[in-house]
Amino acid sequence: MNAIQAKLEAIRNQYMEALVKADGSESLQALRVRYLGKKGELTQLLRSLGGLPPEERPMAGQALNELRQEVEASLERQAVLLAHAEDEAMEASDRLDVTLPPRGRGWGAFHPVVQTMNEIIDIFVGMGFSVAYGPEIEDDFHNFEALNIPPHHPARDMQDTFYLNSGKLLRTHTSPVEVRSMLKWGAPLRIIIPGKVYRRDSDQTHSPMFHQLEGLLIDEDVSLADLKGCLNTFVGAIFGRPLDSRFRASHFPFTEPSLEMDVECFACSGRNPACRICKGTGWLEILGCGMTHPNVLRYGGIDPDRYNGFAWGMGPDRVAMLKYGLTDLRVLFEGHGSFLTGGGY
Ligand code: DAH
């Protein structure tokens, strides 16, 4: 290969590299000037042909012309391609597809606690219970006295109860609605009472506002076996399969006897000593319950010689924590947007 051919080859390679990188009509124009312009590389080379020995001129001239044509043609081709791509890009960015469905508005979703409460309510409604509500600002009579909680009882302690200047208080549990409902409807009675309650308490497992779901059944000849059957049915329904349960002796002023109900850990059934849910105990405490104290029936205007009943109180927040595997109760009440848009936590 002689010197001029080598030079043409080098220019060609350089040009091809630049051509591939050209990304618009401006860079193509710059290439045209650089190679074909008055002072362009090929133009200058053409002028220098005169300095070659005469026998080399025709070959060199032909090779140079071929390259000029190739550059010319490829610039043209590339210009068409680029213009096409530019058009397409503009169309794509500008495109209005009138057949597209509108962008969603971000559906709201029920908060996990509300979902859990609704599930629990559905289960008891299916067993013939009605839903009852009561005020969150309560008086001493309904929150304490009528529930057989005497004046010296620690539950009345300022530490636990939010008192208002009016002498009223924020209910510390949903049990006052038991009394209100007995006074309103009398016996027989089957109610569940969902709602917010308040206590002066805040840490990983306590929030100053939390939820309770209370139940009350009053009829003739109600037994502890009825209570167990009712609550075991509920547990099987909320956790999706029958679970073992156990009832431990406890104390509440408004029930006698009083019990605490534990259910078999739905996660490990007691088989995993390192279980995060039951802390290896195999049991989950889920509610307090008992046979309604005769004094409470009396306060509710119901004759304890004719009627008796059972009641229970549970924390749906805790049930939601268990169901969704949360470790800090407070996240439920900090207004996380994801809880309300169905995004999960
Ligand atoms: N009122 C109780 C509390 O706030 C919960 C409770 C326990 C309610 C036993 C009941 C019951 O009706 O029978 O801790």
Side-chain angles (χ1 to χ4, degrees):
M1 190 187 293
N2 62 28
I4 188 105
Q5 274 174 326
K7 182 132 199 204
L8 285 175
E9 191 62 30
I11 293 178
R12 185 174 184 281
N13 288 341
Q14 207 183 39
Y15 164 76
M16 283 302 176
E17 235 171 77
L19 181 69
V20 175
K21 288 194 194 128
D23 58 0
S25 42
E26 271 177 39
S27 34
L28 285 184
Q29 181 55 24
L31 271 185
R32 177 179 296 279
V33 171
R34 182 168 150 200
Y35 290 94
L36 305 176
K38 270 190 201 153
K39 292 184 187 158
E41 295 193 26
L42 294 179
T43 317
Q44 282 182 4
L45 206 57
L46 188 68
R47 286 201 192 107
S48 70
L49 281 189
L52 289 181
E55 68 276 12
E56 285 181 21
R57 277 184 216 157
M59 276 266 288
Q62 194 188 346
L64 186 60
N65 261 336
E66 276 169 13
L67 184 55
R68 274 186 69 97
Q69 276 160 17
E70 189 184 345
V71 168
E72 194 84 64
S74 59
L75 279 174
E76 210 110 299
R77 228 181 309 122
Q78 202 63 7
V80 173
L81 283 179
L82 279 178
H84 196 67
E86 276 167 16
D87 275 0
E88 278 199 337
M90 200 170 79
E91 256 173 46
S93 69
D94 250 14
R95 179 151 44 206
L96 182 66
D97 182 350
V98 292
T99 66
L100 278 180
R103 209 170 282 168
R105 251 203 236 165
W107 294 101
F110 284 116
H111 189 280
V113 170
V114 175
Q115 285 185 36
T116 305
M117 300 247 274
N118 285 347
E119 272 178 53
I120 299 174
I121 289 170
D122 278 355
I123 293 167
F124 284 109
V125 165
M127 290 197 261
F129 286 76
S130 304
V131 182
Y133 299 95
E136 290 172 27
I137 294 176
E138 261 299 1
D139 51 39
D140 189 273
F141 173 78
H142 292 93
N143 198 80
F144 295 126
E145 196 179 331
L147 290 166
N148 203 30
I149 302 176
H152 59 266
H153 196 279
R156 290 188 178 211
D157 199 307
M158 284 291 287
Q159 292 255 316
D160 293 325
T161 310
F162 287 109
Y163 284 97
L164 306 177
N165 289 338
S166 60
K168 293 206 171 191
L169 48 88
L170 296 183
R171 67 181 180 192
T172 56
H173 49 183
T174 42
S175 307
V177 189
E178 288 194 18
V179 181
R180 290 183 177 276
S181 304
M182 286 189 266
L183 289 169
K184 197 162 163 191
W185 291 303
L189 193 59
R190 271 187 207 193
I191 48 167
I192 41 167
I193 306 154
K196 293 188 170 79
V197 303
Y198 302 85
R199 287 187 203 173
R200 298 177 53 155
D201 221 347
S202 182
D203 61 35
Q204 275 224 342
T205 51
H206 297 91
S207 149
M209 184 288 298
F210 58 104
H211 298 86
Q212 283 194 338
L213 219 142
E214 185 103 6
L216 174 68
L217 181 146
I218 301 200
D219 212 324
E220 295 178 1
D221 296 324
V222 178
S223 72
L224 203 59
D226 295 325
L227 175 156
K228 286 184 169 183
C230 178
L231 294 178
N232 279 331
T233 304
F234 156 70
V235 161
I238 191 79
F239 290 109
R241 67 185 163 94
L243 293 175
D244 269 354
S245 63
R246 68 178 185 188
F247 291 81
R248 287 177 289 111
S250 183
H251 174 77
F252 302 107
F254 32 87
T255 46
E256 181 59 38
S258 300
L259 307 160
E260 234 151 290
M261 182 186 189
D262 297 343
V263 297
E264 163 197 340
C265 177
F266 63 86
C268 78
S269 293
R271 278 187 230 110
N272 177 8
C275 179
R276 226 166 53 91
I277 309 255
C278 66
K279 313 239 157 41
T281 63
W283 295 100
L284 302 170
E285 292 177 22
I286 65 154
L287 54 83
C289 56
M291 303 303 290
T292 305
H293 196 289
N295 286 350
V296 176
L297 292 174
R298 253 179 236 117
Y299 274 115
I302 290 174
D303 178 4
D305 292 327
R306 178 165 175 207
Y307 291 104
N308 68 340
F310 63 79
W312 74 91
M314 67 181 147
D317 306 328
R318 204 177 125 67
V319 178
M321 281 178 80
L322 290 172
K323 280 187 66 166
Y324 300 109
L326 305 178
T327 50
D328 190 333
L329 174 79
R330 292 167 299 186
V331 299
L332 288 172
F333 308 123
E334 285 169 349
H336 288 275
S338 57
F339 279 141
L340 299 174
T341 56
Y345 165 64

PDB file of all heavy atoms in Angstrom, residues 172-173 175 178 199 212 214-215 252 254-255 288-290 311-313, ligand 1:
ATOM      1  N   THR A 172     -61.345   4.548  79.870  1.00  0.00           N
ATOM      2  CA  THR A 172     -60.115   3.749  79.915  1.00  0.00           C
ATOM      3  C   THR A 172     -60.351   2.364  79.315  1.00  0.00           C
ATOM      4  O   THR A 172     -59.419   1.589  79.164  1.00  0.00           O
ATOM      5  CB  THR A 172     -59.629   3.582  81.358  1.00  0.00           C
ATOM      6  OG1 THR A 172     -60.688   2.993  82.135  1.00  0.00           O
ATOM      7  CG2 THR A 172     -59.265   4.929  81.960  1.00  0.00           C
ATOM      8  N   HIS A 173     -61.595   2.055  79.027  1.00  0.00           N
ATOM      9  CA  HIS A 173     -61.937   0.781  78.383  1.00  0.00           C
ATOM     10  C   HIS A 173     -63.319   0.902  77.744  1.00  0.00           C
ATOM     11  O   HIS A 173     -63.992   1.930  77.908  1.00  0.00           O
ATOM     12  CB  HIS A 173     -61.872  -0.398  79.377  1.00  0.00           C
ATOM     13  CG  HIS A 173     -62.596  -0.188  80.679  1.00  0.00           C
ATOM     14  ND1 HIS A 173     -62.598  -1.098  81.688  1.00  0.00           N
ATOM     15  CD2 HIS A 173     -63.353   0.857  81.125  1.00  0.00           C
ATOM     16  CE1 HIS A 173     -63.313  -0.646  82.711  1.00  0.00           C
ATOM     17  NE2 HIS A 173     -63.771   0.517  82.388  1.00  0.00           N
ATOM     18  N   SER A 175     -65.738  -1.101  78.430  1.00  0.00           N
ATOM     19  CA  SER A 175     -66.728  -1.713  79.323  1.00  0.00           C
ATOM     20  C   SER A 175     -67.890  -0.793  79.727  1.00  0.00           C
ATOM     21  O   SER A 175     -69.001  -1.289  79.943  1.00  0.00           O
ATOM     22  CB  SER A 175     -66.025  -2.260  80.571  1.00  0.00           C
ATOM     23  OG  SER A 175     -64.968  -3.118  80.203  1.00  0.00           O
ATOM     24  N   GLU A 178     -71.039  -1.478  78.085  1.00  0.00           N
ATOM     25  CA  GLU A 178     -71.841  -2.615  78.578  1.00  0.00           C
ATOM     26  C   GLU A 178     -72.991  -2.078  79.424  1.00  0.00           C
ATOM     27  O   GLU A 178     -74.155  -2.449  79.247  1.00  0.00           O
ATOM     28  CB  GLU A 178     -70.986  -3.551  79.449  1.00  0.00           C
ATOM     29  CG  GLU A 178     -69.968  -4.385  78.701  1.00  0.00           C
ATOM     30  CD  GLU A 178     -69.428  -5.516  79.583  1.00  0.00           C
ATOM     31  OE1 GLU A 178     -70.059  -5.849  80.599  1.00  0.00           O
ATOM     32  OE2 GLU A 178     -68.347  -6.048  79.240  1.00  0.00           O
ATOM     33  N   ARG A 199     -55.410   5.726  77.853  1.00  0.00           N
ATOM     34  CA  ARG A 199     -54.714   5.571  79.135  1.00  0.00           C
ATOM     35  C   ARG A 199     -53.390   6.307  79.095  1.00  0.00           C
ATOM     36  O   ARG A 199     -52.782   6.442  78.034  1.00  0.00           O
ATOM     37  CB  ARG A 199     -54.444   4.091  79.426  1.00  0.00           C
ATOM     38  CG  ARG A 199     -55.705   3.361  79.812  1.00  0.00           C
ATOM     39  CD  ARG A 199     -55.446   1.958  80.261  1.00  0.00           C
ATOM     40  NE  ARG A 199     -56.668   1.191  80.078  1.00  0.00           N
ATOM     41  CZ  ARG A 199     -56.771  -0.111  80.242  1.00  0.00           C
ATOM     42  NH1 ARG A 199     -55.709  -0.813  80.602  1.00  0.00           N
ATOM     43  NH2 ARG A 199     -57.928  -0.727  80.056  1.00  0.00           N
ATOM     44  N   GLN A 212     -60.275  -1.142  71.722  1.00  0.00           N
ATOM     45  CA  GLN A 212     -60.751  -2.356  72.378  1.00  0.00           C
ATOM     46  C   GLN A 212     -61.975  -2.861  71.644  1.00  0.00           C
ATOM     47  O   GLN A 212     -62.662  -2.118  70.936  1.00  0.00           O
ATOM     48  CB  GLN A 212     -61.121  -2.081  73.837  1.00  0.00           C
ATOM     49  CG  GLN A 212     -59.914  -1.972  74.749  1.00  0.00           C
ATOM     50  CD  GLN A 212     -60.284  -2.038  76.217  1.00  0.00           C
ATOM     51  OE1 GLN A 212     -61.430  -1.756  76.592  1.00  0.00           O
ATOM     52  NE2 GLN A 212     -59.312  -2.398  77.049  1.00  0.00           N
ATOM     53  N   GLU A 214     -65.098  -5.101  72.908  1.00  0.00           N
ATOM     54  CA  GLU A 214     -65.717  -5.699  74.077  1.00  0.00           C
ATOM     55  C   GLU A 214     -66.896  -6.544  73.614  1.00  0.00           C
ATOM     56  O   GLU A 214     -67.496  -6.251  72.589  1.00  0.00           O
ATOM     57  CB  GLU A 214     -66.250  -4.528  74.928  1.00  0.00           C
ATOM     58  CG  GLU A 214     -66.836  -4.893  76.234  1.00  0.00           C
ATOM     59  CD  GLU A 214     -65.867  -4.581  77.360  1.00  0.00           C
ATOM     60  OE1 GLU A 214     -64.813  -3.975  77.098  1.00  0.00           O
ATOM     61  OE2 GLU A 214     -66.175  -4.963  78.502  1.00  0.00           O
ATOM     62  N   GLY A 215     -67.202  -7.561  74.371  1.00  0.00           N
ATOM     63  CA  GLY A 215     -68.397  -8.334  74.038  1.00  0.00           C
ATOM     64  C   GLY A 215     -69.205  -8.586  75.298  1.00  0.00           C
ATOM     65  O   GLY A 215     -68.654  -8.666  76.401  1.00  0.00           O
ATOM     66  N   PHE A 252     -60.980  -9.433  87.367  1.00  0.00           N
ATOM     67  CA  PHE A 252     -61.555  -8.154  86.943  1.00  0.00           C
ATOM     68  C   PHE A 252     -62.707  -7.875  87.884  1.00  0.00           C
ATOM     69  O   PHE A 252     -63.447  -8.802  88.243  1.00  0.00           O
ATOM     70  CB  PHE A 252     -62.075  -8.233  85.506  1.00  0.00           C
ATOM     71  CG  PHE A 252     -61.029  -8.625  84.500  1.00  0.00           C
ATOM     72  CD1 PHE A 252     -61.039  -9.896  83.931  1.00  0.00           C
ATOM     73  CD2 PHE A 252     -60.028  -7.737  84.124  1.00  0.00           C
ATOM     74  CE1 PHE A 252     -60.074 -10.274  83.014  1.00  0.00           C
ATOM     75  CE2 PHE A 252     -59.060  -8.113  83.213  1.00  0.00           C
ATOM     76  CZ  PHE A 252     -59.077  -9.385  82.653  1.00  0.00           C
ATOM     77  N   PHE A 254     -65.456  -6.546  87.347  1.00  0.00           N
ATOM     78  CA  PHE A 254     -66.788  -6.640  86.737  1.00  0.00           C
ATOM     79  C   PHE A 254     -67.169  -8.045  86.315  1.00  0.00           C
ATOM     80  O   PHE A 254     -68.230  -8.260  85.727  1.00  0.00           O
ATOM     81  CB  PHE A 254     -66.899  -5.667  85.555  1.00  0.00           C
ATOM     82  CG  PHE A 254     -65.596  -5.460  84.817  1.00  0.00           C
ATOM     83  CD1 PHE A 254     -65.216  -6.301  83.785  1.00  0.00           C
ATOM     84  CD2 PHE A 254     -64.741  -4.424  85.193  1.00  0.00           C
ATOM     85  CE1 PHE A 254     -64.015  -6.114  83.127  1.00  0.00           C
ATOM     86  CE2 PHE A 254     -63.527  -4.240  84.536  1.00  0.00           C
ATOM     87  CZ  PHE A 254     -63.162  -5.077  83.509  1.00  0.00           C
ATOM     88  N   THR A 255     -66.301  -9.005  86.571  1.00  0.00           N
ATOM     89  CA  THR A 255     -66.659 -10.399  86.250  1.00  0.00           C
ATOM     90  C   THR A 255     -66.299 -11.306  87.416  1.00  0.00           C
ATOM     91  O   THR A 255     -65.375 -11.040  88.178  1.00  0.00           O
ATOM     92  CB  THR A 255     -65.917 -10.894  84.986  1.00  0.00           C
ATOM     93  OG1 THR A 255     -64.545 -10.515  85.088  1.00  0.00           O
ATOM     94  CG2 THR A 255     -66.511 -10.331  83.723  1.00  0.00           C
ATOM     95  N   GLY A 288     -59.271 -10.788  77.999  1.00  0.00           N
ATOM     96  CA  GLY A 288     -59.755 -11.031  79.347  1.00  0.00           C
ATOM     97  C   GLY A 288     -61.248 -11.277  79.266  1.00  0.00           C
ATOM     98  O   GLY A 288     -61.929 -10.727  78.401  1.00  0.00           O
ATOM     99  N   CYS A 289     -61.761 -12.107  80.145  1.00  0.00           N
ATOM    100  CA  CYS A 289     -63.185 -12.420  80.059  1.00  0.00           C
ATOM    101  C   CYS A 289     -63.692 -12.937  81.406  1.00  0.00           C
ATOM    102  O   CYS A 289     -62.928 -13.095  82.353  1.00  0.00           O
ATOM    103  CB  CYS A 289     -63.434 -13.459  78.973  1.00  0.00           C
ATOM    104  SG  CYS A 289     -62.479 -14.978  79.209  1.00  0.00           S
ATOM    105  N   GLY A 290     -64.964 -13.202  81.462  1.00  0.00           N
ATOM    106  CA  GLY A 290     -65.508 -13.756  82.694  1.00  0.00           C
ATOM    107  C   GLY A 290     -67.023 -13.715  82.681  1.00  0.00           C
ATOM    108  O   GLY A 290     -67.651 -13.243  81.727  1.00  0.00           O
ATOM    109  N   ALA A 311     -68.788 -11.775  79.476  1.00  0.00           N
ATOM    110  CA  ALA A 311     -68.240 -10.617  78.760  1.00  0.00           C
ATOM    111  C   ALA A 311     -66.768 -10.859  78.489  1.00  0.00           C
ATOM    112  O   ALA A 311     -66.148 -11.721  79.106  1.00  0.00           O
ATOM    113  CB  ALA A 311     -68.414  -9.348  79.601  1.00  0.00           C
ATOM    114  N   TRP A 312     -66.271 -10.126  77.545  1.00  0.00           N
ATOM    115  CA  TRP A 312     -64.829 -10.195  77.303  1.00  0.00           C
ATOM    116  C   TRP A 312     -64.360  -8.868  76.736  1.00  0.00           C
ATOM    117  O   TRP A 312     -65.156  -8.066  76.239  1.00  0.00           O
ATOM    118  CB  TRP A 312     -64.486 -11.333  76.342  1.00  0.00           C
ATOM    119  CG  TRP A 312     -64.860 -11.043  74.915  1.00  0.00           C
ATOM    120  CD1 TRP A 312     -64.080 -10.461  73.965  1.00  0.00           C
ATOM    121  CD2 TRP A 312     -66.130 -11.298  74.291  1.00  0.00           C
ATOM    122  NE1 TRP A 312     -64.771 -10.343  72.792  1.00  0.00           N
ATOM    123  CE2 TRP A 312     -66.028 -10.854  72.966  1.00  0.00           C
ATOM    124  CE3 TRP A 312     -67.338 -11.856  74.739  1.00  0.00           C
ATOM    125  CZ2 TRP A 312     -67.090 -10.935  72.069  1.00  0.00           C
ATOM    126  CZ3 TRP A 312     -68.392 -11.947  73.847  1.00  0.00           C
ATOM    127  CH2 TRP A 312     -68.268 -11.499  72.523  1.00  0.00           C
ATOM    128  N   GLY A 313     -63.074  -8.655  76.845  1.00  0.00           N
ATOM    129  CA  GLY A 313     -62.505  -7.439  76.266  1.00  0.00           C
ATOM    130  C   GLY A 313     -61.172  -7.787  75.641  1.00  0.00           C
ATOM    131  O   GLY A 313     -60.371  -8.510  76.222  1.00  0.00           O
TER     132      GLY A 313
HETATM  133  N1  DAH B   1     -62.128  -3.778  80.575  1.00  0.00           N
HETATM  134  C1  DAH B   1     -60.947  -4.591  80.635  1.00  0.00           C
HETATM  135  C2  DAH B   1     -59.729  -3.744  80.388  1.00  0.00           C
HETATM  136  O1  DAH B   1     -59.831  -2.702  79.915  1.00  0.00           O
HETATM  137  C3  DAH B   1     -60.986  -5.680  79.607  1.00  0.00           C
HETATM  138  C4  DAH B   1     -62.043  -6.706  79.952  1.00  0.00           C
HETATM  139  C5  DAH B   1     -61.713  -7.802  80.663  1.00  0.00           C
HETATM  140  C6  DAH B   1     -63.341  -6.514  79.556  1.00  0.00           C
HETATM  141  C7  DAH B   1     -62.653  -8.759  80.998  1.00  0.00           C
HETATM  142  C8  DAH B   1     -64.302  -7.457  79.878  1.00  0.00           C
HETATM  143  C9  DAH B   1     -63.943  -8.572  80.606  1.00  0.00           C
HETATM  144  O2  DAH B   1     -65.577  -7.340  79.524  1.00  0.00           O
HETATM  145  O3  DAH B   1     -64.881  -9.500  80.944  1.00  0.00           O
HETATM  146  O4  DAH B   1     -58.652  -4.151  80.645  1.00  0.00           O
END
